[in-house]
Amino acid sequence: MLRVSLLLRSGGAARRFSSSFSGASVLPPNLLLPSNLVDPARLKRPPPPADCPLPLLRKCDAAVPSHLSPVQTWVETLQRPDGEPLGLAQLHPDVFAVRPRLDILHDVERWQRNFKRISHASTKVRSEVRGGGKKPWNQKGSGRARHGSIRSPIWRGGGVSHGPRGPTSYYYMLPLKVRVQGLKVALSSKMAQDFLHIVDSLNIPTPDPQYLLDLVRHRHWGDSVLIVHVGDEFPENLLQATENLKTVNVIPAIGLNVHSMLKHEVVVLTLDTVKFLEDKLLWHDQRYTPLYPFKLPYADFP
Amino acid sequence: MHAIPELKKVDRWTEKRSMFGVYDNIGILGDFKAHPKDLILAPCWLKAFKGNELERLIRKKKMVGDRMMAVDRHNMEKRIRFLYRHFNRIGKHR
C-alpha cells in the first residue's frame, strides 16, 4: 500500500505529496480532490484524557447544568512553532456542545446573504422609454400590422413588460434567539469536528507571514484560519503578519458570524474571547422577553 | 470555434469575500447598541424595508419625492397610478 499524506491548498492549485517509495507514481497535475477530504494527520489529536498532567487554565464561569459536563479542550500557544499544548480549558456545554442543527445554520447563513442584498437591476417600461407617443402609421390602409407606439414590448428597442423594477431589497430579520442559536450551533460544530482551537494569547515572535503559515501547516490545522480576539487592540506582529495573507484573517469578537465560521476551516479563539462569547450567548437562555427593544435602557442590563 | 468555454477563474478569497458577514451579529455580541440593519448599504428609502413594487414606490415618493428630477418623478407617479389600478381593480385579488 502506498502511504501518501496529502496536503491540500485552497483554490485547488498545486499539490505537494510525500511518499515512502521513491519510484512511486506521480499524482497528475490536474487532479481534482474533493474539498472535504480528511487529512489523516489531523485525526491524530485525541481529546484530553481525564488524568492529564497539564494544568486546568480555565473553568466555566456560568453554572453548568447538572446533567451536562463541560467540554474539555487543549489550550495551545502561538509563541512556539511546535504544537505542544499549554494546558486544558473547560467550555460551557450549552454553547460549545449544542445539537448540530443544520437547518438553523442554513437559515442563518441564508439570512446573512440576503438581508443586506439590494438588487439594482432595473428596466424601463414602455411608458418610460424615450419616444413612442405617436402612432407610427395609420390603423388601416398601409398594409402593415397595426401598432400604437414604437416602444411597446414587442418592438425592438421597446420597453420591458415584466422586468426587474428599480432597486429591490430582500431584507428580513430572523428571530433573535434563532440567530443566537445559529452562533452556538456553529461553534459546537467546529468543536465537534476538531476545527476549534483555544489559544492563550495572540502574541507572535515575528511579524513574518511565513511563520503563521508554517505553524498552521505543521499543526495540520487546515486551509483557512479565522482568528477571533476580544477588544480593540491586536498585537502588532499579528496584524502585520496577516495583512497580506488571504486565508488567515483576524476579526474582533463582535464580528463573529456564522458565514465567516463556515468559510474559514479553522477557528482560533483566545481565553478572553471564550469568556466573552459564553457571557453573551448564555444570557439569552434565561432572559425575559423584551417589553421594549434592548437598545433602550434597562435597569439590570447590561 | 471553442465548443467548451473555459471556466472563469474566481478568486474565493478576495477582501470582500473573506470579510463577508462580519459584524452581522453586532446586536447580539455588542450590547444591542447597533442593529444589523444599520449595516445595510442602500438608498435611504430601502434601508431595512421590504415591499412589492407599489410599496417601494410609495415609500420613495414619501421620502425622496420632493428631491427628484421632474421627469423621474412624473414617470414614478404614472407607475404608481398604473400599479394601484392594476392591483385594486384588475384580476381576481382586489
Side-chain angles (χ1 to χ4, degrees), chain A residues 1 21 30-31 41 59-60 63 69 80 87-88 100 108 114 130 165 174 180 191 200 203 213 225 227 255 257 272-273:
Chain A
M1 279 298 284
F21 294 91
N30 57 350
L31 180 68
K59 282 194 163 183
C60 291
S69 61
R80 299 192 303 261
L88 303 179
V108 174
N114 282 329
R130 183 112 178 145
R165 290 295 296 159
L174 285 176
V180 166
M191 170 97 288
D200 58 341
N203 299 318
L213 292 175
V225 184
I227 304 179
N257 61 93
D272 303 325
T273 318

Side-chain angles (χ1 to χ4, degrees), chain A residues 49-119:
Chain A
D51 53 348
C52 190
L54 294 175
L56 186 68
L57 294 175
R58 183 192 177 262
K59 282 194 163 183
C60 291
D61 298 324
V64 177
S66 51
H67 66 288
L68 299 167
S69 61
V71 184
Q72 292 226 343
T73 21
W74 303 108
V75 174
E76 298 171 16
T77 178
L78 297 176
Q79 302 270 28
R80 299 192 303 261
D82 62 332
E84 295 299 321
L86 282 186
L88 303 179
Q90 282 187 343
L91 307 173
H92 202 287
D94 277 340
V95 173
F96 289 92
V98 186
R99 276 170 214 255
R101 289 282 304 268
L102 294 183
D103 59 324
I104 295 186
L105 277 186
H106 171 81
D107 289 339
V108 174
E109 165 67 31
R110 189 171 48 149
W111 168 76
Q112 277 193 273
R113 272 210 306 265
N114 282 329
F115 86 100
K116 311 186 261 241
R117 178 180 167 204
I118 305 285
S119 157

Side-chain angles (χ1 to χ4, degrees), chain B residues 61-72:
Chain B
K61 182 172 171 185
K62 266 177 18 185
M63 292 177 73
V64 171
D66 44 354
R67 287 198 277 154
M68 284 171 82
M69 292 286 138
V71 178
D72 300 330

Side-chain angles (χ1 to χ4, degrees), chain A residues 180-234:
Chain A
V180 166
Q181 192 66 19
L183 274 175
K184 291 180 187 167
V185 170
L187 287 168
S188 313
S189 311
K190 288 289 177 192
M191 170 97 288
Q193 291 177 325
D194 211 18
F195 280 130
L196 190 77
H197 298 269
I198 314 283
V199 161
D200 58 341
S201 79
L202 294 179
N203 299 318
I204 313 183
T206 55
D208 185 22
Q210 198 56 38
Y211 172 77
L212 275 178
L213 292 175
D214 290 336
L215 192 139
V216 170
R217 193 172 309 149
H218 172 77
R219 298 186 189 184
H220 298 286
W221 277 1
D223 293 334
S224 41
V225 184
L226 184 69
I227 304 179
V228 190
H229 183 56
V230 194
D232 302 327
E233 286 117 24
F234 291 82

